[in-house]
Amino acid sequence: MSKILLVEDDKEISTMLKNFLVTEKFEVITAYDGKSALDRFFSDRFSLVLLDLMIPRMSGMEVMGKIRENSTVPIIIISAKDTDSDKTLGLGLGADDYITKPFSVTEVLARIKANIRRNTQYAAGAAEQPVLQKGNLVMNLNEYSVTKNGCKIELTSKEFEILKLLMQNPKKVYTKEQMYSLVWNDTYYGDENAVNVHISRLRNKIEDNPRKPQYVITVWGIGYKLGE
């Protein structure tokens, strides 16, 4: 049974979501403020975190930052803030998905299942070629790890999958639509923001100079590929 940490200070919304997810065979642990959320997170193991941004005692962004220092568990933001800047900031700080209020519980369920499924696939690792290498960058699919010059690089599940996609197919150019469909496992509706933010964040972690990338190369007018 997958265990979810639900961080939401509106107890009515929290109860509604928890009851629905329990009927869908998830175990749900709730927290109503940032500090309690971190206490619960670091005292247990979770498959996914549902995180509201506007919570007391510590903001959702701060909570996400603390989690990301130690874990790549999928994080889905649920927030009344629906501007592009809020979404970009949330994704840029490590969220895997962003759902705006009001939402349907079926949409939340679909996003949860998709993110847990992807994360499980990553953890299962790959079969034929467990270690991929490009220059000083090494990806170990069995250990679900990436190192550069021997130093470990912490990637979120989507960052890992984007890099894995490119390293497993070094000669292929992926359009944003193809990348979104393969990494997000969802239909692409023309929203480039999610892909752009994750590419930018990945470059900041693996490139010597993100403005002159060597690993994740932009093919103008088409998409992205692995550097030569």
PDB file of all heavy atoms in Angstrom, residues 129-147:
ATOM      1  N   GLN A 129      21.431  -2.003 -19.481  1.00  0.00           N
ATOM      2  CA  GLN A 129      22.570  -1.109 -19.339  1.00  0.00           C
ATOM      3  C   GLN A 129      22.427  -0.303 -18.052  1.00  0.00           C
ATOM      4  O   GLN A 129      21.948   0.820 -18.049  1.00  0.00           O
ATOM      5  CB  GLN A 129      22.648  -0.171 -20.556  1.00  0.00           C
ATOM      6  CG  GLN A 129      23.997   0.470 -20.720  1.00  0.00           C
ATOM      7  CD  GLN A 129      24.072   1.296 -21.988  1.00  0.00           C
ATOM      8  OE1 GLN A 129      23.144   1.328 -22.782  1.00  0.00           O
ATOM      9  NE2 GLN A 129      25.187   1.969 -22.172  1.00  0.00           N
ATOM     10  N   PRO A 130      22.892  -0.885 -16.931  1.00  0.00           N
ATOM     11  CA  PRO A 130      22.657  -0.223 -15.641  1.00  0.00           C
ATOM     12  C   PRO A 130      23.459   1.049 -15.435  1.00  0.00           C
ATOM     13  O   PRO A 130      23.103   1.873 -14.604  1.00  0.00           O
ATOM     14  CB  PRO A 130      23.052  -1.286 -14.615  1.00  0.00           C
ATOM     15  CG  PRO A 130      24.012  -2.163 -15.343  1.00  0.00           C
ATOM     16  CD  PRO A 130      23.552  -2.185 -16.770  1.00  0.00           C
ATOM     17  N   VAL A 131      24.566   1.208 -16.188  1.00  0.00           N
ATOM     18  CA  VAL A 131      25.389   2.405 -16.022  1.00  0.00           C
ATOM     19  C   VAL A 131      25.518   3.127 -17.362  1.00  0.00           C
ATOM     20  O   VAL A 131      25.919   2.542 -18.362  1.00  0.00           O
ATOM     21  CB  VAL A 131      26.793   2.064 -15.489  1.00  0.00           C
ATOM     22  CG1 VAL A 131      27.647   3.330 -15.396  1.00  0.00           C
ATOM     23  CG2 VAL A 131      26.697   1.398 -14.125  1.00  0.00           C
ATOM     24  N   LEU A 132      25.147   4.418 -17.370  1.00  0.00           N
ATOM     25  CA  LEU A 132      25.268   5.259 -18.555  1.00  0.00           C
ATOM     26  C   LEU A 132      26.291   6.344 -18.264  1.00  0.00           C
ATOM     27  O   LEU A 132      26.330   6.879 -17.158  1.00  0.00           O
ATOM     28  CB  LEU A 132      23.914   5.891 -18.908  1.00  0.00           C
ATOM     29  CG  LEU A 132      22.736   4.936 -19.108  1.00  0.00           C
ATOM     30  CD1 LEU A 132      21.434   5.723 -19.203  1.00  0.00           C
ATOM     31  CD2 LEU A 132      22.935   4.076 -20.349  1.00  0.00           C
ATOM     32  N   GLN A 133      27.096   6.678 -19.252  1.00  0.00           N
ATOM     33  CA  GLN A 133      28.123   7.687 -19.018  1.00  0.00           C
ATOM     34  C   GLN A 133      28.246   8.622 -20.208  1.00  0.00           C
ATOM     35  O   GLN A 133      28.193   8.209 -21.364  1.00  0.00           O
ATOM     36  CB  GLN A 133      29.478   7.032 -18.745  1.00  0.00           C
ATOM     37  CG  GLN A 133      30.580   8.040 -18.415  1.00  0.00           C
ATOM     38  CD  GLN A 133      31.818   7.398 -17.835  1.00  0.00           C
ATOM     39  OE1 GLN A 133      31.873   6.174 -17.667  1.00  0.00           O
ATOM     40  NE2 GLN A 133      32.824   8.192 -17.508  1.00  0.00           N
ATOM     41  N   LYS A 134      28.402   9.903 -19.882  1.00  0.00           N
ATOM     42  CA  LYS A 134      28.675  10.929 -20.881  1.00  0.00           C
ATOM     43  C   LYS A 134      29.726  11.846 -20.293  1.00  0.00           C
ATOM     44  O   LYS A 134      29.444  12.617 -19.368  1.00  0.00           O
ATOM     45  CB  LYS A 134      27.395  11.708 -21.217  1.00  0.00           C
ATOM     46  CG  LYS A 134      27.628  12.919 -22.131  1.00  0.00           C
ATOM     47  CD  LYS A 134      28.139  12.496 -23.486  1.00  0.00           C
ATOM     48  CE  LYS A 134      28.348  13.719 -24.389  1.00  0.00           C
ATOM     49  NZ  LYS A 134      28.939  13.345 -25.690  1.00  0.00           N
ATOM     50  N   GLY A 135      30.947  11.745 -20.791  1.00  0.00           N
ATOM     51  CA  GLY A 135      32.029  12.542 -20.229  1.00  0.00           C
ATOM     52  C   GLY A 135      32.231  12.220 -18.760  1.00  0.00           C
ATOM     53  O   GLY A 135      32.385  11.049 -18.387  1.00  0.00           O
ATOM     54  N   ASN A 136      32.196  13.235 -17.916  1.00  0.00           N
ATOM     55  CA  ASN A 136      32.383  13.040 -16.480  1.00  0.00           C
ATOM     56  C   ASN A 136      31.069  12.747 -15.745  1.00  0.00           C
ATOM     57  O   ASN A 136      31.056  12.623 -14.524  1.00  0.00           O
ATOM     58  CB  ASN A 136      33.022  14.291 -15.860  1.00  0.00           C
ATOM     59  CG  ASN A 136      34.423  14.526 -16.383  1.00  0.00           C
ATOM     60  OD1 ASN A 136      35.163  13.586 -16.620  1.00  0.00           O
ATOM     61  ND2 ASN A 136      34.786  15.791 -16.581  1.00  0.00           N
ATOM     62  N   LEU A 137      29.977  12.656 -16.513  1.00  0.00           N
ATOM     63  CA  LEU A 137      28.661  12.429 -15.931  1.00  0.00           C
ATOM     64  C   LEU A 137      28.323  10.937 -15.998  1.00  0.00           C
ATOM     65  O   LEU A 137      28.377  10.337 -17.066  1.00  0.00           O
ATOM     66  CB  LEU A 137      27.617  13.235 -16.703  1.00  0.00           C
ATOM     67  CG  LEU A 137      26.268  13.495 -16.039  1.00  0.00           C
ATOM     68  CD1 LEU A 137      26.444  14.383 -14.808  1.00  0.00           C
ATOM     69  CD2 LEU A 137      25.319  14.168 -17.026  1.00  0.00           C
ATOM     70  N   VAL A 138      28.009  10.350 -14.848  1.00  0.00           N
ATOM     71  CA  VAL A 138      27.723   8.912 -14.775  1.00  0.00           C
ATOM     72  C   VAL A 138      26.364   8.710 -14.121  1.00  0.00           C
ATOM     73  O   VAL A 138      26.092   9.228 -13.036  1.00  0.00           O
ATOM     74  CB  VAL A 138      28.798   8.159 -13.966  1.00  0.00           C
ATOM     75  CG1 VAL A 138      28.449   6.673 -13.876  1.00  0.00           C
ATOM     76  CG2 VAL A 138      30.179   8.346 -14.596  1.00  0.00           C
ATOM     77  N   MET A 139      25.515   7.938 -14.796  1.00  0.00           N
ATOM     78  CA  MET A 139      24.186   7.609 -14.275  1.00  0.00           C
ATOM     79  C   MET A 139      24.119   6.117 -14.007  1.00  0.00           C
ATOM     80  O   MET A 139      24.337   5.309 -14.909  1.00  0.00           O
ATOM     81  CB  MET A 139      23.106   8.022 -15.279  1.00  0.00           C
ATOM     82  CG  MET A 139      21.694   7.564 -14.897  1.00  0.00           C
ATOM     83  SD  MET A 139      20.419   8.158 -16.055  1.00  0.00           S
ATOM     84  CE  MET A 139      20.173   9.823 -15.429  1.00  0.00           C
ATOM     85  N   ASN A 140      23.838   5.763 -12.755  1.00  0.00           N
ATOM     86  CA  ASN A 140      23.676   4.360 -12.379  1.00  0.00           C
ATOM     87  C   ASN A 140      22.190   4.093 -12.179  1.00  0.00           C
ATOM     88  O   ASN A 140      21.584   4.581 -11.225  1.00  0.00           O
ATOM     89  CB  ASN A 140      24.451   4.064 -11.090  1.00  0.00           C
ATOM     90  CG  ASN A 140      24.490   2.581 -10.779  1.00  0.00           C
ATOM     91  OD1 ASN A 140      23.472   1.900 -10.800  1.00  0.00           O
ATOM     92  ND2 ASN A 140      25.674   2.069 -10.480  1.00  0.00           N
ATOM     93  N   LEU A 141      21.609   3.326 -13.092  1.00  0.00           N
ATOM     94  CA  LEU A 141      20.167   3.097 -13.059  1.00  0.00           C
ATOM     95  C   LEU A 141      19.759   2.138 -11.951  1.00  0.00           C
ATOM     96  O   LEU A 141      18.646   2.223 -11.441  1.00  0.00           O
ATOM     97  CB  LEU A 141      19.696   2.566 -14.418  1.00  0.00           C
ATOM     98  CG  LEU A 141      19.964   3.493 -15.610  1.00  0.00           C
ATOM     99  CD1 LEU A 141      19.523   2.841 -16.903  1.00  0.00           C
ATOM    100  CD2 LEU A 141      19.276   4.828 -15.426  1.00  0.00           C
ATOM    101  N   ASN A 142      20.643   1.226 -11.572  1.00  0.00           N
ATOM    102  CA  ASN A 142      20.326   0.310 -10.483  1.00  0.00           C
ATOM    103  C   ASN A 142      20.312   1.026  -9.140  1.00  0.00           C
ATOM    104  O   ASN A 142      19.483   0.752  -8.278  1.00  0.00           O
ATOM    105  CB  ASN A 142      21.315  -0.851 -10.448  1.00  0.00           C
ATOM    106  CG  ASN A 142      21.103  -1.823 -11.593  1.00  0.00           C
ATOM    107  OD1 ASN A 142      20.031  -1.873 -12.176  1.00  0.00           O
ATOM    108  ND2 ASN A 142      22.136  -2.581 -11.920  1.00  0.00           N
ATOM    109  N   GLU A 143      21.244   1.943  -8.972  1.00  0.00           N
ATOM    110  CA  GLU A 143      21.328   2.686  -7.712  1.00  0.00           C
ATOM    111  C   GLU A 143      20.494   3.960  -7.738  1.00  0.00           C
ATOM    112  O   GLU A 143      20.373   4.650  -6.724  1.00  0.00           O
ATOM    113  CB  GLU A 143      22.787   3.041  -7.403  1.00  0.00           C
ATOM    114  CG  GLU A 143      23.679   1.830  -7.191  1.00  0.00           C
ATOM    115  CD  GLU A 143      25.124   2.221  -6.930  1.00  0.00           C
ATOM    116  OE1 GLU A 143      25.431   3.437  -6.925  1.00  0.00           O
ATOM    117  OE2 GLU A 143      25.947   1.311  -6.736  1.00  0.00           O
ATOM    118  N   TYR A 144      19.942   4.287  -8.916  1.00  0.00           N
ATOM    119  CA  TYR A 144      19.161   5.510  -9.092  1.00  0.00           C
ATOM    120  C   TYR A 144      19.992   6.721  -8.645  1.00  0.00           C
ATOM    121  O   TYR A 144      19.577   7.521  -7.803  1.00  0.00           O
ATOM    122  CB  TYR A 144      17.844   5.419  -8.306  1.00  0.00           C
ATOM    123  CG  TYR A 144      16.871   6.548  -8.581  1.00  0.00           C
ATOM    124  CD1 TYR A 144      16.507   6.859  -9.875  1.00  0.00           C
ATOM    125  CD2 TYR A 144      16.309   7.281  -7.544  1.00  0.00           C
ATOM    126  CE1 TYR A 144      15.614   7.882 -10.137  1.00  0.00           C
ATOM    127  CE2 TYR A 144      15.418   8.315  -7.794  1.00  0.00           C
ATOM    128  CZ  TYR A 144      15.071   8.595  -9.098  1.00  0.00           C
ATOM    129  OH  TYR A 144      14.189   9.617  -9.357  1.00  0.00           O
ATOM    130  N   SER A 145      21.187   6.816  -9.210  1.00  0.00           N
ATOM    131  CA  SER A 145      22.097   7.887  -8.796  1.00  0.00           C
ATOM    132  C   SER A 145      22.791   8.500 -10.006  1.00  0.00           C
ATOM    133  O   SER A 145      22.936   7.868 -11.057  1.00  0.00           O
ATOM    134  CB  SER A 145      23.150   7.345  -7.823  1.00  0.00           C
ATOM    135  OG  SER A 145      24.014   6.413  -8.471  1.00  0.00           O
ATOM    136  N   VAL A 146      23.216   9.756  -9.837  1.00  0.00           N
ATOM    137  CA  VAL A 146      23.992  10.460 -10.854  1.00  0.00           C
ATOM    138  C   VAL A 146      25.196  11.104 -10.173  1.00  0.00           C
ATOM    139  O   VAL A 146      25.051  11.727  -9.116  1.00  0.00           O
ATOM    140  CB  VAL A 146      23.153  11.549 -11.559  1.00  0.00           C
ATOM    141  CG1 VAL A 146      24.016  12.356 -12.527  1.00  0.00           C
ATOM    142  CG2 VAL A 146      21.979  10.930 -12.305  1.00  0.00           C
ATOM    143  N   THR A 147      26.363  10.922 -10.760  1.00  0.00           N
ATOM    144  CA  THR A 147      27.567  11.557 -10.237  1.00  0.00           C
ATOM    145  C   THR A 147      28.281  12.315 -11.354  1.00  0.00           C
ATOM    146  O   THR A 147      28.165  11.970 -12.526  1.00  0.00           O
ATOM    147  CB  THR A 147      28.548  10.528  -9.633  1.00  0.00           C
ATOM    148  OG1 THR A 147      28.924   9.587 -10.650  1.00  0.00           O
ATOM    149  CG2 THR A 147      27.925   9.791  -8.465  1.00  0.00           C
TER     150      THR A 147
END
